[in-house]
Structure formats: C-alpha cells, structure tokens
Amino acid sequence: MATFSSDILRKFARFVALLLKSSLRRACYTLRIFYALLRRLGHMCIHLGHNTSSTRRLQEELRPAVCSSGLPTIHTLSTDISQPDDRPHSTLAVPVDIASPQHPLYLTPPPHLNSRDDFSIGTVDDIPVSNTSFDGGLPQIVLEMNTTDEPLFVFSGHAAVPPEHIKLVPIIPTDVKRYDRNIKMKWAEANCFVITPKDNKYVEEVQCGWRDFVHPEGPRVYYHHETRVFTDADMRLGKMDSKRLLGMAKALKDYAKSQSDVEARIDDGTELVLELNTEKGRTNIIKSCGYYFVDHVKRVIFWAHSYTCEPHGEILFNVKAAKRLSHIKYSLESQYWYHCELYPHNRYLPRQIFEELREIIVHANAETITSDTSLAPFDGNELAKMLDLMDRIEGSIDKMHAYSVCVVARFMRLFTKVKFTNFCGQPGVRVDADRSIYYKEGHERETLIFRLLNLILWYGPRKHYKRVQRVWVDEIINAPRWKDFINQLDNEWLGFTIYSTVMLAVDVSFLAVPGIIDSSLQTSPAIAVYMSSLCAVGSLVLAVLLVDQSKDYQTAEDGALYMSLMTNGIPGIENLALMHSLPYALLVWAMVFFGLALSIFIFDTNDVVTLATMIPGWIIVLIFTLWPTIFTLWPTTNTAVGWLLNFVKSLPRQPERVVQYLRGSRHPELDQIPIGRNSDRAA
C-alpha cells in the first residue's frame, strides 16, 4: 500500500510538472508571437490626440522583459537613411510620422502623400530616436519680455540661485555664422598613431535624441527629430547641454503656439533653427540665441516676434522702394532656399522642384541667346553647364542625396534673389538689364567741367559714361554684363599699351632726324615731339595701372563694391568715365602732337613746289581724320559733300555752338520742365 501510494504520488508530481512545463512553453510561445507582432508593427505610429508615440519605443521597453524570460533576442534591422522608401516625396519639408494608413492592410497609400510640394526630411523610421520622451528632465524655462520689449529665456533653478537670462533674437539663415566660427586647430607635429584591433568605432557619439550630419562642404550639423530642431552647436557628449537647448526650443514653440497669428503656421512639418552665441572658449555659457521657423508649404521663414528688415540687410538688400509683402516674399524665399542649402541632409529631392528649376534654367538660357539685355544672373556658357548638371541630378529625384539637394537649393536661391531685385510680379518690374525702374531715360545732367573735359579728351568720357550707365543700373550689377564690361575694358586698355609703345618708338626715332634737335636752341618740332612722347608714356602707364586694378573686381560682388566707392562721391559716374578714358585721350594727343611736329617740319621751307604739293594733301588728310568725330556730332549728314557744305556754312556759328554746348544740358527736353518740378525731382 505504501509502495502504491508512493508511485501514485510520483506519477502525480510528474503530471503536474509536465502540465506546468507545457503551460510555460505555451505562455512563452504566446509572448514570442506578441513580440514578433510588435516588431512587424514597429514602423507604425500611434496618434493619441496631439501626442504621438512610436511603437518602436514600446518594443524597446519590452525587449528586456522578453529576453529575461528565456526567449531568444530578436534584433530589428536598422534602416539605411540613404535609401528612400517607396513613398513619393515632392517637398523639402521634414516628413512627419504617418499613422495607420501605413499598415499593410491599406493597399494604397493615402492621397496626401502625393500632394506635397516642398523638400522632405526622413521619417521616424529613417532616424533613430530616443527611448524616452524629450520632455522628461528638461529645465523650467519661460519666455518673457524685458522692459524694452525684447524676448528673454528665463531659467528658473534653485531658490537660492538667481534666474539666468538668455536673450532671444530673430535671425535669418544668412545670420548663421557657420563660415565665421574661426575655430583654430592646435598646431602639433605629426606623431605615430596606433590603431588597435579593438578600435572599431570611427564616429563620435552624440547626445541622446540627436543625429549628426556632415555638410557637403565639411561642417558638422545636428538635428533633433522629435522636436525638428536644427543647430550648428556641438551636441557631442560632454559639449552643449542638450536639455537646455531642447528646453529653449520647447518654450519657444509654446510661446509661438500661444500667439494667434503664429499658431496656424506651426504644424508637424515646421522646422526650427537655433543659432547659439556662446562665450569664446566656454561653449556652455550662452549669451544669446538666434532662431527662425521654416514654412515649407509657402517656402518662407517666419518668427514668433517682430523682425526688423534693415535697408542694407540681407532681406531688403539695399533695394529701393521695397515695401510690399508680395515683393519681399521673394527675398524670404531666397532665405528659405539658403536654409535648405545649409541643412540638405535627410531630405528627399522632389520632382516638382527639380522640374521647376530646369524650366527656369531653360528659359534663362533662351533669353540669353535671343536678348542682349537678359536679366539672367549667369551667362550662356554657365547656363549650359547648369543644364548638364540637371541631367545628372535627375537620377537623385525622390532620393535622399544631400549633395544634389544642396546644388538645387543653391541654384533656386540665386534665381529667386534675382526676382526680388528686379521687382518680379510688381507693376514696375524691370524687364531689361539696362533699363532703370526709378528714373526716366536721360535724367542725368552733366556738369560743366565734364562737358569741357569731354571736348578736351576727344569725346572719350562720354562713351565711357554711357557704358557705365548700362552696367550700373539703379546701383545693381548684372553678373554676365559686368564680366563683359570688364573684359571689354581690359582688351581696350591692352590695345592702347601696344599703340602707346609704337607711338613712343616713333617719337624717339623722329628725334634722331638731323635738324630736329639743335644744340643751341630747341626747335618747335622738337618741343612738339617731346609733348607727344610724354602723352604716349602717360597713356602707356595709365593703361597698365587700370588693367592691374581691374583684376581686383572681376566678380560681380567686388564690382558692386568698387562701383559704390567710385560713384558715391560728388562727381559720381563722371569721375569713373574720365578715368577710364584717359589712356585713349592721351594716346590721341600723342598722335596730334606728333602730327604737329611733322607738319612744322614739312612746312618750314620756302620751296614753292613743296608748299603747293603738301598744303592740299595736308588739308585732305586732316578732313578725313576728323571726319569720324565730326560725323558723330552731326549724324544727320549723309554725304561728305553735304557735310563739307554745311560745315563751311556753320563756321561763323561754331563759337556760339561751343558755348551753347558747354552751358546747355545734355537733354534739351528737360529744360522745358518748370523749375518747381525740377526742384521736386532733385529733392
């Protein structure tokens, strides 16, 4: 009986053990299925009201519990951010998390995925995010206004510690001092560097929730996906305090959402850029914080506070009469493209923007070919190269290629800036590069000194005056026209150096003729040759100096600075025209003095045959020589005989005409305007 009972108990215990083991296996199997389901749904996001939480976080939180139960660990494959998903992107905005329509049960994507028109940044599946909410552990930061209505971040800490204040400044993308950091590396001689087998990490770790990118030009930038914040501040471990920066971003967004005018513009696709101004050598001490928001739908930047556009700033760009928002919008769009150029990583290149840029380049190329007054900021060769680049970039459409995004954004920025300077879409739009939109043609009045010097310098200043007016229109320079202007001047001055050298050699050779130089008395031909030589040397030296100076302002930016310095004085453009015409004028005077010396040498004789032969020839040569200049003054004369008759008839009135030219205006029609209207125009 005892044996029977012990066997029964042993069998019962074995049965219970098997039952428990089976239940445990079934429970573990059920848990494994649940975990696999979570992994399959890891790319989904659960939207609860305005708070969005990813199931990937739930998966990460359940992983330790599953692993401790004895189940094998299931690793999730990371997504390569360089490979885009199958969703079409047509915007440059950071894509927001997509909710349940991404579930496999939805056979077709929702319609709103195909209707965006700005740059896109990778989704939450492409960017690793923190396992904890960024709101946890953030310092208490409040955005307040000081006595001068300037925004301040107020950090409230311990009661015994006074609150810290950081100035908040609205900025624009060009205010990001990425290229003006002036961070110097310590000079050190190269030493041996040993790489051990355990050294397998070639990247520096960044703080939780941040991701770093290397810009195509080299600088490192940082992006926080959950708050959609970009910054150039150093977010590596042990550098800038991430909680302080995220706290400022949260306080700024909360303040923006509290403003009724700004709240509607803040959505899930709005990006925020923070530019921190820290003390030199102490990156943790922030003196001020610059910021701006990015609206990818309207392609503009905006702020939660008022932003003052200075006349010489990057928004107004010293453009006169820029007062309408529909006009200033192009300048804001130019800043938007510069933002995309500063932060091109993890953005999709949309087909719509690509095709828009290609159409702009094609039209600019056609306009450059068919018009001499094209407004395109590039010449024909540059536009042809840009079209070739667009054919190569076409393969990057709907892909995360930072280099292609940077190139497209830069081209769009330059073309948009041209639209702003030319008042695109406004009633007074500029349609020709050489036409002013502020003044009527011929509004300038030449001074008396300029008119007198124009006669003395053989009408050279007038020609250069017109050239400068065509290239310096409304104090704006068109890059292709400026390049043509500089090349034309260089070729002209280089030609004058050759002519001046030849003229100087002729003068020296003429002085070697017997009878020109008398040891006891200087003859008239010698004096005239001396003057010719001096003028030739002056023309040669001036041409060489002007060619050398022109090398310093070959680009449009340098040319604009040079023209501003040269034309802001009292003479204005006249001073520049006089200076540019001096090599030509001195060369002509060198020829005139040489002709005078030759004439004196020829006619210094009593031989009747020589005089009878040379006087008619001298008169004919003189008339043919002065014909181009005089025909320019009287263009209505069509024949040489008619001009000669009119010239002989007008000889008694020539002194009166010269006085009238010096005293009168260049445009007689302006003299018909009443004095009061002239004073208003001058004012």
Side-chain angles (χ1 to χ4, degrees):
M1 185 66 181
T3 305
F4 177 78
S5 61
S6 61
D7 293 337
I8 294 298
L9 290 176
R10 190 180 299 112
K11 291 181 180 180
F12 180 78
R14 186 180 300 174
F15 174 78
V16 173
L18 291 175
L19 180 62
L20 292 176
K21 187 176 180 180
S22 176
S23 301
L24 181 60
R25 287 183 177 178
R26 187 176 291 107
C28 292
Y29 181 75
T30 304
L31 189 58
R32 180 183 298 181
I33 294 177
F34 177 71
Y35 182 80
L37 179 62
L38 287 180
R39 187 183 61 158
R40 292 292 302 273
L41 301 181
H43 296 286
M44 293 178 52
C45 293
I46 303 173
H47 290 256
L48 301 176
H50 295 285
N51 298 324
T52 304
S53 60
S54 175
T55 55
R56 177 174 291 183
R57 293 188 195 164
L58 184 58
Q59 170 186 334
E60 297 295 337
E61 292 175 0
L62 290 178
R63 178 177 297 179
V66 175
C67 295
S68 62
S69 65
L71 291 176
T73 305
I74 302 176
H75 297 280
T76 305
L77 297 178
S78 59
T79 305
D80 186 5
I81 63 173
S82 62
Q83 299 297 330
D85 51 16
D86 296 333
R87 292 173 295 152
H89 294 266
S90 57
T91 68
L92 282 183
V94 181
V96 297
D97 303 336
I98 306 302
S100 56
Q102 288 298 307
H103 192 274
L105 294 178
Y106 286 83
L107 300 180
T108 57
H112 69 276
L113 292 179
N114 299 323
S115 60
R116 301 181 63 181
D117 55 358
D118 54 13
F119 276 145
S120 301
I121 282 189
T123 63
V124 69
D125 302 327
D126 301 319
I127 304 175
V129 296
S130 172
N131 293 335
T132 58
S133 176
F134 77 98
D135 292 337
L138 295 183
Q140 296 182 0
I141 304 176
V142 181
L143 186 58
E144 297 180 353
M145 297 290 181
N146 60 6
T147 55
T148 58
D149 290 337
E150 294 180 350
L152 294 174
F153 283 125
V154 180
F155 291 77
S156 57
H158 194 269
V161 180
E164 180 184 357
H165 296 80
I166 296 179
K167 185 179 180 181
L168 183 63
V169 182
I171 62 171
I172 56 179
T174 50
D175 292 333
V176 176
K177 305 300 181 182
R178 175 178 298 178
Y179 303 100
D180 300 323
R181 304 293 182 192
N182 294 326
I183 300 176
K184 305 299 181 182
M185 302 295 294
K186 184 178 180 180
W187 179 270
E189 295 295 336
N191 296 324
C192 295
F193 189 85
V194 180
I195 301 178
T196 62
K198 67 178 182 179
D199 295 332
N200 57 357
K201 293 184 178 180
Y202 296 94
V203 295
E204 298 188 48
E205 296 184 1
V206 296
Q207 300 183 46
C208 183
W210 291 90
R211 185 172 181 85
D212 60 332
F213 300 100
V214 178
H215 192 271
E217 295 181 351
R220 187 178 296 273
V221 299
Y222 299 88
Y223 172 64
H224 192 270
H225 175 79
E226 206 164 344
T227 57
R228 308 177 75 79
V229 173
F230 287 96
T231 184
D232 282 15
D234 195 350
M235 302 308 299
R236 293 176 296 174
L237 295 177
K239 299 298 182 179
M240 180 62 63
D241 188 357
S242 175
K243 292 184 178 180
R244 288 169 60 88
L245 193 143
L246 294 178
M248 290 189 294
K250 182 179 182 301
L252 181 57
K253 286 190 174 182
D254 291 343
Y255 175 81
K257 291 180 180 179
S258 65
Q259 306 295 320
S260 58
D261 297 334
V262 187
E263 181 182 8
R265 307 179 68 177
I266 303 261
D267 55 17
D268 294 335
T270 304
E271 299 173 11
L272 173 62
V273 176
L274 296 180
E275 173 71 8
L276 303 183
N277 181 20
T278 59
E279 288 189 3
K280 188 176 182 180
R282 305 177 65 182
T283 57
N284 287 329
I285 300 180
I286 304 174
K287 296 190 296 185
S288 63
C289 176
Y291 82 96
Y292 63 86
F293 292 99
V294 181
D295 186 348
H296 289 278
V297 177
K298 296 183 179 179
R299 298 183 185 178
V300 294
I301 60 173
F302 64 96
W303 310 268
H305 306 85
S306 298
Y307 180 82
T308 302
C309 302
E310 298 295 337
H312 300 282
E314 292 292 334
I315 296 294
L316 295 182
F317 210 62
N318 201 26
V319 175
K320 309 297 187 299
K323 298 180 180 180
R324 298 184 180 182
L325 290 178
S326 59
H327 175 217
I328 299 178
K329 188 261 181 185
Y330 287 106
S331 185
L332 294 178
E333 183 179 350
S334 175
Q335 294 294 322
Y336 163 80
W337 291 117
Y338 189 61
H339 163 78
C340 297
E341 183 181 346
L342 288 176
Y343 306 100
H345 281 279
N346 221 48
R347 298 184 187 275
Y348 292 94
L349 178 60
R351 176 172 295 276
Q352 179 180 350
I353 293 179
F354 172 83
E355 293 179 351
E356 178 182 352
L357 176 59
R358 185 168 59 183
E359 291 297 314
I360 293 175
I361 297 175
V362 169
H363 176 266
N365 201 353
E367 187 179 8
T368 303
I369 295 173
T370 58
S371 174
D372 294 333
T373 58
S374 172
L375 296 172
F378 305 98
D379 57 23
N381 295 331
E382 294 171 340
L383 291 172
K385 294 178 181 179
M386 292 171 67
L387 281 176
D388 182 62
L389 281 178
M390 296 303 294
D391 293 338
R392 301 177 184 273
I393 294 176
E394 189 172 5
S396 300
I397 295 177
D398 295 335
K399 297 179 181 178
M400 287 185 182
H401 291 176
Y403 291 85
S404 299
V405 171
C406 186
V407 170
V408 171
R410 179 172 298 183
F411 287 165
M412 290 295 291
R413 172 174 62 89
L414 296 175
F415 281 109
T416 307
K417 199 68 176 180
V418 171
K419 291 182 180 180
F420 172 72
T421 55
N422 293 320
F423 286 77
C424 180
Q426 302 302 311
V429 59
R430 180 184 288 107
V431 293
D432 291 321
D434 60 349
R435 183 177 302 177
S436 173
I437 60 176
Y438 302 107
Y439 309 103
K440 293 182 178 180
E441 186 177 358
H443 71 282
E444 305 88 354
R445 296 179 64 89
E446 299 170 352
T447 61
L448 178 62
I449 297 178
F450 180 79
R451 291 175 174 277
L452 181 61
L453 292 176
N454 187 47
L455 290 175
I456 297 175
L457 299 180
W458 301 94
Y459 294 93
R462 171 67 63 77
K463 299 176 183 177
H464 285 277
Y465 188 87
K466 293 180 179 179
R467 291 182 187 176
V468 174
Q469 278 186 324
R470 286 195 295 266
V471 73
W472 184 240
V473 180
D474 297 336
E475 299 184 0
I476 296 175
I477 282 182
N478 181 270
R481 295 175 64 84
W482 176 257
K483 291 179 182 179
D484 294 340
F485 174 73
I486 291 297
N487 292 334
Q488 184 179 5
L489 287 179
D490 288 345
N491 295 333
E492 179 180 339
W493 291 332
L494 289 175
F496 289 153
T497 58
I498 299 176
Y499 299 148
S500 300
T501 304
V502 173
M503 196 69 234
L504 185 61
V506 171
D507 291 337
V508 174
S509 301
F510 188 77
L511 291 175
V513 176
I516 297 298
I517 300 180
D518 192 354
S519 58
S520 60
L521 181 65
Q522 292 290 346
T523 61
S524 298
I527 296 175
V529 171
Y530 292 157
M531 291 297 300
S532 175
S533 301
L534 288 177
C535 291
V537 171
S539 175
L540 177 62
V541 173
L542 278 173
V544 172
L545 291 177
L546 289 174
V547 170
D548 181 68
Q549 290 181 1
S550 67
K551 304 300 181 182
D552 297 333
Y553 43 88
Q554 293 287 332
T555 63
E557 292 79 7
D558 297 335
L561 179 60
Y562 172 77
M563 294 296 295
S564 299
L565 295 176
M566 295 299 297
T567 59
N568 281 340
I570 296 178
I573 300 179
E574 297 178 355
N575 181 28
L576 195 62
L578 289 171
M579 183 175 64
H580 287 178
S581 64
L582 285 178
Y584 159 77
L586 290 178
L587 180 61
V588 173
W589 276 115
M591 296 178 180
V592 170
F593 281 116
F594 178 78
L596 178 62
L598 184 62
S599 300
I600 295 175
F601 184 76
I602 291 175
F603 294 114
D604 190 13
T605 180
N606 294 325
D607 188 4
V608 178
V609 177
T610 303
L611 294 176
T613 305
M614 295 306 300
I615 289 178
W618 186 87
I619 294 176
I620 293 174
V621 171
L622 179 63
I623 292 175
F624 287 160
T625 303
L626 297 179
W627 191 359
T629 303
I630 299 178
F631 187 79
T632 303
L633 298 180
W634 287 278
T636 55
T637 305
N638 296 325
T639 61
V641 177
W643 169 84
L644 184 60
L645 294 177
N646 292 335
F647 179 74
V648 173
K649 293 180 182 179
S650 62
L651 282 178
R653 299 191 298 273
Q654 290 303 319
E656 181 181 355
R657 287 189 175 184
V658 172
V659 174
Q660 183 180 3
Y661 169 76
L662 294 176
R663 296 181 59 184
S665 61
R666 175 184 170 189
H667 302 280
E669 64 273 8
L670 294 179
D671 295 337
Q672 307 297 329
I673 302 177
I675 296 179
R677 188 176 302 177
N678 267 341
S679 352
D680 293 339
R681 178 174 298 184

